[in-house]
Coordinates of all heavy atoms in Angstrom, one line a residue:
M12 N 0.1 73.3 7.4 CA -0.5 73.2 6.1 C 0.1 72.0 5.3 O -0.7 71.4 4.6 CB -0.2 74.5 5.3 CG -1.1 75.7 5.7 SD -2.8 75.3 5.6 CE -3.1 76.0 3.9
S13 N 1.4 71.8 5.4 CA 1.9 70.7 4.7 C 1.3 69.3 5.1 O 1.1 68.4 4.3 CB 3.4 70.6 4.8 OG 3.9 70.4 6.1
E14 N 1.1 69.2 6.4 CA 0.4 68.0 7.0 C -1.0 67.8 6.4 O -1.4 66.7 6.1 CB 0.4 68.0 8.5 CG 1.8 67.8 9.1 CD 1.8 67.7 10.6 OE1 0.7 68.0 11.2 OE2 2.8 67.4 11.2
L15 N -1.7 68.9 6.2 CA -3.0 68.8 5.6 C -2.9 68.4 4.2 O -3.7 67.5 3.7 CB -3.7 70.2 5.6 CG -4.4 70.6 6.9 CD1 -4.9 72.1 6.8 CD2 -5.6 69.7 7.1
E16 N -2.0 69.0 3.5 CA -1.8 68.6 2.0 C -1.4 67.2 1.9 O -1.7 66.5 0.9 CB -0.8 69.5 1.4 CG -1.3 71.0 1.3 CD -0.2 72.0 0.9 OE1 1.0 71.6 0.9 OE2 -0.6 73.1 0.6
Q17 N -0.6 66.6 2.8 CA -0.2 65.2 2.8 C -1.1 64.2 3.4 O -0.8 63.1 3.6 CB 1.2 65.1 3.4 CG 2.3 66.0 2.7 CD 3.6 66.0 3.4 OE1 3.9 65.2 4.3 NE2 4.4 67.0 3.2
D18 N -2.3 64.7 3.8 CA -3.3 63.9 4.5 C -2.7 63.3 5.8 O -3.1 62.2 6.2 CB -3.8 62.8 3.6 CG -4.7 63.3 2.6 OD1 -5.4 64.3 2.8 OD2 -4.8 62.7 1.5
K19 N -1.8 64.0 6.5 CA -1.3 63.5 7.8 C -2.1 64.1 9.0 O -2.0 63.7 10.1 CB 0.2 63.9 8.0 CG 1.1 63.1 7.0 CD 2.5 63.5 7.2 CE 3.5 62.8 6.3 NZ 4.8 63.2 6.5
Y20 N -2.9 65.1 8.7 CA -3.7 65.9 9.7 C -5.1 66.1 9.2 O -5.3 66.5 8.1 CB -3.0 67.2 10.0 CG -3.8 68.1 10.9 CD1 -3.9 67.9 12.2 CD2 -4.4 69.2 10.3 CE1 -4.7 68.7 13.0 CE2 -5.2 70.1 11.1 CZ -5.3 69.8 12.5 OH -6.0 70.6 13.3
R21 N -6.0 65.8 10.1 CA -7.5 66.0 9.7 C -8.0 67.1 10.7 O -8.0 66.9 11.9 CB -8.3 64.8 9.9 CG -7.9 63.7 9.0 CD -8.4 63.9 7.6 NE -8.1 62.8 6.8 CZ -8.2 62.8 5.5 NH1 -8.7 63.9 4.9 NH2 -7.9 61.8 4.7
P22 N -8.4 68.3 10.2 CA -8.9 69.3 11.1 C -10.2 68.9 11.8 O -11.0 68.2 11.2 CB -9.0 70.5 10.2 CG -9.2 70.0 8.9 CD -8.4 68.7 8.9
S23 N -10.4 69.4 13.0 CA -11.7 69.2 13.6 C -12.8 70.0 13.0 O -12.6 70.9 12.2 CB -11.6 69.6 15.1 OG -11.5 71.0 15.2
L24 N -14.0 69.6 13.3 CA -15.2 70.3 12.7 C -15.1 71.8 13.1 O -15.5 72.7 12.3 CB -16.5 69.7 13.2 CG -17.8 70.3 12.6 CD1 -17.7 70.3 11.1 CD2 -19.0 69.5 13.1
D25 N -14.7 72.1 14.3 CA -14.6 73.5 14.8 C -13.6 74.3 13.9 O -13.9 75.4 13.6 CB -14.1 73.5 16.3 CG -15.2 73.0 17.2 OD1 -16.4 73.1 16.9 OD2 -14.8 72.6 18.3
I26 N -12.5 73.6 13.6 CA -11.5 74.3 12.7 C -12.1 74.5 11.3 O -11.9 75.6 10.7 CB -10.2 73.5 12.6 CG1 -9.5 73.3 14.0 CG2 -9.3 74.0 11.6 CD1 -9.0 74.6 14.5
I27 N -12.8 73.5 10.8 CA -13.4 73.7 9.5 C -14.4 74.8 9.5 O -14.4 75.6 8.5 CB -14.0 72.3 9.0 CG1 -13.0 71.3 8.7 CG2 -14.9 72.6 7.8 CD1 -13.5 69.9 8.5
I28 N -15.2 74.9 10.5 CA -16.2 76.0 10.6 C -15.5 77.3 10.7 O -16.0 78.3 10.1 CB -17.2 75.7 11.8 CG1 -18.1 74.5 11.4 CG2 -18.1 76.9 12.1 CD1 -18.9 74.0 12.6
A29 N -14.5 77.4 11.5 CA -13.8 78.7 11.7 C -13.2 79.1 10.3 O -13.2 80.3 10.0 CB -12.7 78.5 12.7
I30 N -12.6 78.2 9.6 CA -12.1 78.5 8.2 C -13.2 79.0 7.3 O -13.0 80.0 6.6 CB -11.3 77.3 7.6 CG1 -10.1 77.0 8.4 CG2 -11.0 77.5 6.1 CD1 -9.4 75.7 8.0
K31 N -14.3 78.3 7.3 CA -15.4 78.7 6.5 C -15.9 80.1 6.8 O -16.1 80.9 6.0 CB -16.6 77.7 6.7 CG -17.8 78.0 5.8 CD -19.0 78.3 6.7 CE -20.3 78.5 6.0 NZ -20.4 79.8 5.4
E32 N -16.0 80.4 8.1 CA -16.5 81.7 8.5 C -15.5 82.8 8.3 O -15.9 83.9 7.9 CB -16.9 81.7 10.0 CG -18.2 80.9 10.2 CD -18.5 80.7 11.7 OE1 -17.7 81.1 12.6 OE2 -19.6 80.1 12.0
N33 N -14.2 82.6 8.5 CA -13.2 83.6 8.4 C -12.9 83.9 6.9 O -12.5 85.0 6.6 CB -12.0 83.3 9.2 CG -12.2 83.5 10.6 OD1 -12.5 84.6 11.1 ND2 -12.0 82.4 11.4
F34 N -13.0 82.9 6.1 CA -12.5 83.0 4.7 C -13.7 82.9 3.7 O -13.5 82.9 2.5 CB -11.4 82.0 4.3 CG -10.2 82.2 5.2 CD1 -9.9 81.4 6.2 CD2 -9.3 83.3 4.9 CE1 -8.8 81.6 7.0 CE2 -8.2 83.5 5.6 CZ -7.9 82.6 6.7
N35 N -14.9 82.8 4.2 CA -16.1 82.7 3.4 C -16.0 81.6 2.4 O -16.3 81.7 1.2 CB -16.4 84.1 2.7 CG -17.8 84.1 2.1 OD1 -18.7 83.4 2.6 ND2 -18.0 84.9 1.2
S36 N -15.5 80.5 2.8 CA -15.3 79.3 2.0 C -16.5 78.4 2.0 O -17.3 78.5 2.9 CB -14.1 78.5 2.4 OG -12.9 79.2 2.3
H37 N -16.6 77.5 1.0 CA -17.7 76.6 1.0 C -17.3 75.4 1.8 O -16.2 74.8 1.7 CB -17.9 76.1 -0.5 CG -18.4 77.2 -1.4 ND1 -19.7 77.7 -1.4 CD2 -17.7 78.0 -2.3 CE1 -19.8 78.7 -2.2 NE2 -18.6 78.9 -2.8
I38 N -18.2 75.0 2.7 CA -18.0 73.8 3.6 C -17.7 72.6 2.7 O -16.8 71.8 3.0 CB -19.2 73.5 4.5 CG1 -19.3 74.5 5.6 CG2 -19.2 72.1 5.0 CD1 -18.3 74.3 6.7
E39 N -18.4 72.4 1.6 CA -18.2 71.2 0.7 C -16.8 71.2 0.2 O -16.2 70.1 0.1 CB -19.2 71.2 -0.4 CG -20.7 71.1 0.0 CD -21.3 72.4 0.4 OE1 -20.7 73.5 0.2 OE2 -22.4 72.4 0.9
W40 N -16.3 72.3 -0.2 CA -15.0 72.4 -0.7 C -13.9 72.0 0.4 O -13.0 71.3 0.1 CB -14.7 73.7 -1.3 CG -13.3 73.8 -1.9 CD1 -12.9 73.4 -3.1 CD2 -12.1 74.4 -1.3 NE1 -11.5 73.6 -3.3 CE2 -11.0 74.2 -2.1 CE3 -11.9 75.0 0.0 CZ2 -9.8 74.7 -1.8 CZ3 -10.7 75.5 0.3 CH2 -9.6 75.3 -0.6
L41 N -14.1 72.6 1.6 CA -13.2 72.3 2.7 C -13.2 70.8 3.0 O -12.1 70.3 3.3 CB -13.6 73.1 3.9 CG -13.3 74.6 3.8 CD1 -14.0 75.4 5.0 CD2 -11.8 74.9 3.7
I42 N -14.4 70.2 3.0 CA -14.4 68.8 3.4 C -14.1 67.8 2.2 O -13.3 66.9 2.4 CB -15.8 68.5 3.9 CG1 -16.1 69.3 5.2 CG2 -16.0 67.0 4.2 CD1 -17.5 69.2 5.7
F43 N -14.6 68.1 1.1 CA -14.5 67.1 0.0 C -13.5 67.6 -1.1 O -13.1 66.8 -1.9 CB -15.8 66.8 -0.7 CG -16.8 66.3 0.3 CD1 -17.9 67.1 0.7 CD2 -16.7 65.1 0.9 CE1 -18.8 66.6 1.6 CE2 -17.6 64.6 1.8 CZ -18.7 65.3 2.2
G44 N -13.3 69.0 -1.2 CA -12.4 69.5 -2.2 C -12.9 69.5 -3.6 O -12.2 69.6 -4.5
D45 N -14.2 69.4 -3.8 CA -14.8 69.3 -5.1 C -15.9 70.2 -5.4 O -16.7 69.9 -6.3 CB -15.2 67.8 -5.4 CG -16.2 67.3 -4.5 OD1 -16.7 68.0 -3.6 OD2 -16.6 66.1 -4.7
T46 N -16.1 71.3 -4.7 CA -17.1 72.2 -5.0 C -16.8 73.0 -6.3 O -15.7 73.5 -6.4 CB -17.3 73.2 -3.9 OG1 -17.7 72.5 -2.7 CG2 -18.4 74.2 -4.2
P47 N -17.7 73.0 -7.3 CA -17.4 73.7 -8.5 C -17.3 75.2 -8.2 O -18.0 75.8 -7.4 CB -18.6 73.4 -9.4 CG -19.6 72.9 -8.5 CD -19.0 72.4 -7.3
I48 N -16.3 75.8 -8.9 CA -16.1 77.3 -8.7 C -16.5 78.0 -10.0 O -16.0 77.6 -11.1 CB -14.6 77.6 -8.3 CG1 -14.3 77.0 -7.0 CG2 -14.4 79.1 -8.3 CD1 -12.9 77.1 -6.6
S49 N -17.4 78.9 -10.0 CA -17.8 79.6 -11.2 C -16.7 80.6 -11.6 O -15.8 80.9 -10.9 CB -19.1 80.3 -10.9 OG -18.9 81.5 -10.2
K50 N -16.9 81.1 -12.9 CA -15.9 82.0 -13.4 C -16.0 83.3 -12.7 O -15.0 84.1 -12.8 CB -16.1 82.2 -14.9 CG -17.4 82.9 -15.3 CD -17.4 83.2 -16.8 CE -18.6 84.1 -17.1 NZ -18.7 84.4 -18.5
N51 N -17.1 83.6 -12.0 CA -17.2 84.9 -11.3 C -16.9 84.7 -9.8 O -17.3 85.4 -9.0 CB -18.6 85.4 -11.4 CG -18.9 85.9 -12.8 OD1 -18.0 86.1 -13.6 ND2 -20.2 86.0 -13.1
T52 N -16.0 83.7 -9.5 CA -15.6 83.5 -8.1 C -14.1 83.7 -8.0 O -13.4 83.1 -8.8 CB -16.0 82.1 -7.7 OG1 -17.4 81.9 -7.9 CG2 -15.7 81.8 -6.2
I53 N -13.7 84.4 -7.0 CA -12.3 84.7 -6.7 C -12.1 84.3 -5.3 O -12.7 84.9 -4.4 CB -11.9 86.1 -7.0 CG1 -12.2 86.5 -8.4 CG2 -10.5 86.4 -6.6 CD1 -11.9 88.0 -8.7
F54 N -11.2 83.3 -5.0 CA -11.0 82.9 -3.6 C -12.3 82.5 -2.9 O -12.5 82.8 -1.8 CB -10.2 83.9 -2.8 CG -8.9 84.2 -3.4 CD1 -8.6 85.4 -4.0 CD2 -7.8 83.3 -3.4 CE1 -7.4 85.7 -4.6 CE2 -6.6 83.5 -4.0 CZ -6.4 84.8 -4.6
N55 N -13.2 81.9 -3.6 CA -14.5 81.4 -3.1 C -15.4 82.6 -2.6 O -16.3 82.4 -1.8 CB -14.3 80.4 -2.0 CG -13.8 79.1 -2.5 OD1 -14.0 78.8 -3.6 ND2 -13.0 78.5 -1.6
L56 N -15.1 83.8 -3.1 CA -16.0 84.9 -2.8 C -16.8 85.2 -4.1 O -16.2 85.6 -5.1 CB -15.2 86.1 -2.4 CG -14.3 86.0 -1.1 CD1 -13.5 87.2 -0.9 CD2 -15.2 85.7 0.1
A57 N -18.1 85.2 -4.0 CA -18.9 85.4 -5.2 C -18.8 86.9 -5.5 O -18.8 87.8 -4.7 CB -20.4 85.1 -4.9
I58 N -18.7 87.2 -6.8 CA -18.6 88.6 -7.3 C -19.8 88.9 -8.1 O -20.2 88.2 -9.0 CB -17.3 88.7 -8.2 CG1 -16.0 88.3 -7.5 CG2 -17.2 90.1 -8.8 CD1 -15.6 89.2 -6.4
E59 N -20.5 90.0 -7.7 CA -21.7 90.4 -8.3 C -21.4 91.1 -9.6 O -20.3 91.5 -9.9 CB -22.4 91.5 -7.4 CG -22.7 91.0 -6.0 CD -24.0 90.4 -5.8 OE1 -24.9 90.8 -6.6 OE2 -24.2 89.6 -4.9
A60 N -22.3 91.1 -10.6 CA -22.1 91.7 -11.9 C -21.7 93.2 -11.8 O -20.8 93.6 -12.5 CB -23.4 91.6 -12.7
Q61 N -22.2 93.9 -10.8 CA -21.9 95.3 -10.7 C -20.4 95.4 -10.2 O -19.7 96.3 -10.6 CB -22.8 96.0 -9.7 CG -22.7 97.5 -9.6 CD -23.7 98.1 -8.7 OE1 -24.1 97.5 -7.6 NE2 -24.2 99.3 -9.0
E62 N -20.0 94.5 -9.4 CA -18.6 94.5 -8.9 C -17.6 94.2 -10.0 O -16.6 94.8 -10.2 CB -18.4 93.5 -7.8 CG -19.1 94.0 -6.5 CD -19.2 92.9 -5.4 OE1 -19.5 91.7 -5.8 OE2 -18.9 93.2 -4.3
L63 N -18.0 93.3 -10.9 CA -17.2 92.9 -12.1 C -17.1 94.1 -13.0 O -16.0 94.4 -13.5 CB -17.8 91.7 -12.8 CG -17.7 90.4 -12.2 CD1 -18.4 89.4 -13.0 CD2 -16.2 90.0 -12.1
E64 N -18.2 94.9 -13.2 CA -18.1 96.1 -14.0 C -17.2 97.1 -13.4 O -16.4 97.7 -14.1 CB -19.5 96.6 -14.2 CG -19.5 97.9 -15.1 CD -20.9 98.5 -15.2 OE1 -21.9 98.1 -14.5 OE2 -21.1 99.4 -16.1
L65 N -17.3 97.3 -12.1 CA -16.5 98.2 -11.4 C -15.0 97.9 -11.5 O -14.2 98.8 -11.8 CB -16.8 98.3 -9.9 CG -16.1 99.3 -9.0 CD1 -16.3 100.7 -9.5 CD2 -16.5 99.1 -7.6
I66 N -14.7 96.6 -11.4 CA -13.3 96.2 -11.5 C -12.8 96.4 -13.0 O -11.7 96.9 -13.2 CB -13.1 94.7 -11.2 CG1 -13.3 94.5 -9.7 CG2 -11.8 94.1 -11.6 CD1 -13.5 93.1 -9.2
S67 N -13.6 96.1 -13.9 CA -13.3 96.3 -15.3 C -13.0 97.8 -15.6 O -12.0 98.1 -16.3 CB -14.4 95.8 -16.2 OG -14.1 96.0 -17.6
L68 N -13.9 98.6 -15.2 CA -13.7 100.1 -15.4 C -12.5 100.6 -14.7 O -11.7 101.4 -15.2 CB -15.0 100.8 -15.0 CG -16.2 100.6 -15.8 CD1 -17.5 101.2 -15.2 CD2 -16.1 101.1 -17.2
F69 N -12.3 100.2 -13.4 CA -11.2 100.6 -12.6 C -9.9 100.3 -13.2 O -9.0 101.1 -13.2 CB -11.3 99.9 -11.2 CG -10.3 100.4 -10.2 CD1 -10.5 101.5 -9.5 CD2 -9.2 99.6 -9.9 CE1 -9.6 102.0 -8.5 CE2 -8.3 100.1 -9.0 CZ -8.5 101.2 -8.3
R70 N -9.8 99.1 -13.9 CA -8.5 98.7 -14.5 C -8.1 99.6 -15.7 O -7.0 99.7 -16.0 CB -8.6 97.3 -15.0 CG -8.5 96.3 -13.8 CD -8.6 94.9 -14.3 NE -8.5 94.0 -13.2 CZ -8.7 92.7 -13.3 NH1 -9.1 92.1 -14.4 NH2 -8.6 91.9 -12.2
G71 N -9.1 100.3 -16.2 CA -8.9 101.2 -17.4 C -8.4 102.6 -17.0 O -8.1 103.4 -17.8
L72 N -8.4 102.9 -15.7 CA -8.0 104.2 -15.2 C -6.5 104.3 -15.0 O -5.8 103.3 -14.8 CB -8.7 104.5 -13.8 CG -10.2 104.5 -13.8 CD1 -10.7 104.6 -12.4 CD2 -10.7 105.7 -14.7
T73 N -6.0 105.6 -14.9 CA -4.6 105.8 -14.6 C -4.4 105.6 -13.1 O -5.4 105.5 -12.3 CB -4.2 107.2 -14.9 OG1 -4.9 108.1 -14.1 CG2 -4.4 107.6 -16.4
K74 N -3.2 105.5 -12.7 CA -2.9 105.3 -11.2 C -3.5 106.4 -10.4 O -4.0 106.2 -9.4 CB -1.4 105.1 -11.0 CG -1.1 104.9 -9.5 CD 0.3 104.7 -9.2 CE 0.7 104.6 -7.7 NZ -0.3 104.9 -6.7
E75 N -3.3 107.6 -10.9 CA -3.8 108.8 -10.2 C -5.3 108.7 -10.0 O -5.9 109.0 -9.0 CB -3.4 110.1 -10.9 CG -1.9 110.4 -10.9 CD -1.1 109.6 -11.9 OE1 -1.7 109.1 -12.9 OE2 0.1 109.4 -11.7
D76 N -6.0 108.4 -11.1 CA -7.5 108.2 -11.1 C -7.9 107.1 -10.1 O -8.9 107.2 -9.4 CB -8.0 108.0 -12.5 CG -8.0 109.3 -13.3 OD1 -7.8 110.4 -12.7 OD2 -8.1 109.2 -14.6
R77 N -7.2 106.0 -10.1 CA -7.5 104.9 -9.2 C -7.3 105.3 -7.8 O -8.2 105.1 -7.0 CB -6.5 103.7 -9.5 CG -6.8 103.0 -10.8 CD -5.8 101.8 -10.9 NE -5.9 101.1 -12.2 CZ -5.3 100.1 -12.5 NH1 -4.4 99.6 -11.7 NH2 -5.5 99.5 -13.7
D78 N -6.3 106.1 -7.5 CA -6.0 106.6 -6.1 C -7.2 107.5 -5.7 O -7.7 107.4 -4.6 CB -4.7 107.3 -6.0 CG -3.5 106.4 -6.1 OD1 -3.7 105.1 -6.0 OD2 -2.4 106.8 -6.4
E79 N -7.6 108.3 -6.6 CA -8.7 109.3 -6.4 C -10.0 108.5 -6.1 O -10.7 108.9 -5.1 CB -8.9 110.2 -7.5 CG -9.9 111.3 -7.3 CD -10.0 112.3 -8.5 OE1 -9.1 112.3 -9.3 OE2 -11.1 113.0 -8.5
I80 N -10.3 107.5 -6.9 CA -11.5 106.7 -6.6 C -11.4 106.0 -5.3 O -12.4 106.0 -4.5 CB -11.7 105.7 -7.8 CG1 -11.9 106.3 -9.1 CG2 -12.8 104.7 -7.4 CD1 -13.2 107.2 -9.2
I81 N -10.3 105.4 -4.9 CA -10.1 104.8 -3.6 C -10.3 105.8 -2.5 O -11.0 105.5 -1.5 CB -8.7 104.1 -3.5 CG1 -8.7 102.9 -4.5 CG2 -8.4 103.7 -2.1 CD1 -7.4 102.2 -4.6
D82 N -9.8 106.9 -2.6 CA -10.0 108.0 -1.6 C -11.5 108.3 -1.5 O -12.0 108.5 -0.4 CB -9.2 109.2 -1.9 CG -7.7 109.0 -1.7 OD1 -7.3 108.0 -1.0 OD2 -6.9 109.8 -2.2
F83 N -12.2 108.4 -2.6 CA -13.6 108.8 -2.6 C -14.4 107.7 -1.9 O -15.3 108.0 -1.1 CB -14.1 109.0 -4.0 CG -15.6 109.3 -4.1 CD1 -16.1 110.5 -3.8 CD2 -16.4 108.3 -4.5 CE1 -17.4 110.8 -3.8 CE2 -17.8 108.5 -4.6 CZ -18.3 109.8 -4.2
I84 N -14.1 106.4 -2.2 CA -14.8 105.3 -1.6 C -14.6 105.3 -0.1 O -15.5 105.1 0.7 CB -14.4 104.0 -2.2 CG1 -14.9 103.9 -3.6 CG2 -14.9 102.8 -1.4 CD1 -14.3 102.7 -4.4
K85 N -13.3 105.6 0.3 CA -13.0 105.7 1.8 C -13.8 106.8 2.5 O -14.3 106.6 3.6 CB -11.5 105.9 2.0 CG -10.7 104.7 1.7 CD -9.2 105.0 1.9 CE -8.3 103.8 1.5 NZ -6.9 104.1 1.6
L86 N -14.0 107.9 1.8 CA -14.8 109.0 2.3 C -16.3 108.5 2.5 O -16.9 108.8 3.5 CB -14.8 110.2 1.4 CG -13.5 111.0 1.5 CD1 -13.5 112.1 0.4 CD2 -13.4 111.7 2.9
K87 N -16.8 107.8 1.5 CA -18.2 107.4 1.5 C -18.4 106.3 2.7 O -19.4 106.4 3.3 CB -18.6 106.7 0.2 CG -18.6 107.7 -1.0 CD -19.7 108.7 -0.8 CE -21.0 108.3 -1.2 NZ -22.1 109.3 -1.2
I88 N -17.4 105.5 2.9 CA -17.6 104.5 3.9 C -17.6 105.1 5.3 O -18.3 104.8 6.2 CB -16.4 103.4 3.8 CG1 -16.6 102.6 2.6 CG2 -16.4 102.6 5.1 CD1 -15.5 101.7 2.2
V89 N -16.7 106.1 5.5 CA -16.7 106.8 6.8 C -18.0 107.6 7.1 O -18.4 107.6 8.2 CB -15.4 107.8 6.8 CG1 -15.5 108.7 8.0 CG2 -14.2 107.0 6.7
R90 N -18.6 108.1 6.0 CA -19.8 108.9 6.2 C -21.0 108.1 6.7 O -21.8 108.5 7.4 CB -20.2 109.6 4.9 CG -19.4 110.8 4.6 CD -19.8 111.5 3.4 NE -21.2 111.7 3.3 CZ -21.8 112.1 2.1 NH1 -21.1 112.3 1.1 NH2 -23.1 112.2 2.1
Y91 N -21.0 106.8 6.3 CA -22.1 106.0 6.6 C -21.7 105.0 7.6 O -22.0 104.5 8.4 CB -22.7 105.3 5.3 CG -23.1 106.2 4.3 CD1 -22.3 106.5 3.2 CD2 -24.3 106.9 4.4 CE1 -22.8 107.4 2.2 CE2 -24.7 107.8 3.5 CZ -24.0 108.0 2.3 OH -24.4 108.9 1.4

């Protein structure tokens, strides 16, 4: 990583594509480093309005309620 940051190493196209696919990054950002990031983007992952609402509501819960919600979501994922 330090060699990348110091421009001592240039990754191959295969490496850039692998990073893009594994981390859902923008190719333009990986190559040029200048892709604009919107306020609803976290680590280059687009966040839908419904997800933002869920996060906002979740943060207002107690730890016990958060744990209960997480357990419920896990149950729903296993069922489908």
Side-chain angles (χ1 to χ4, degrees):
M12 285 302 267
S13 67
E14 288 182 352
L15 276 172
E16 292 170 348
Q17 297 171 21
D18 288 329
K19 292 181 179 178
Y20 170 74
R21 298 282 182 192
S23 68
L24 184 56
D25 291 336
I26 296 293
I27 292 172
I28 291 170
I30 291 171
K31 182 240 183 282
E32 290 175 353
N33 285 302
F34 297 104
N35 196 23
S36 297
H37 298 280
I38 286 283
E39 296 85 6
W40 180 79
L41 289 170
I42 295 171
F43 304 111
D45 60 0
T46 300
I48 298 175
S49 75
K50 69 176 187 174
N51 293 342
T52 303
I53 299 173
F54 300 110
N55 292 331
L56 300 175
I58 302 294
E59 307 266 335
Q61 190 176 34
E62 293 170 312
L63 286 173
E64 181 182 13
L65 182 61
I66 291 168
S67 177
L68 293 169
F69 186 82
R70 288 179 176 171
L72 298 173
T73 64
K74 181 181 178 343
E75 292 79 20
D76 288 341
R77 288 179 184 184
D78 292 342
E79 186 177 341
I80 296 296
I81 289 171
D82 289 342
F83 178 76
I84 291 171
K85 288 177 182 176
L86 284 173
K87 294 296 277 186
I88 290 171
V89 171
R90 283 181 46 194
Y91 299 104

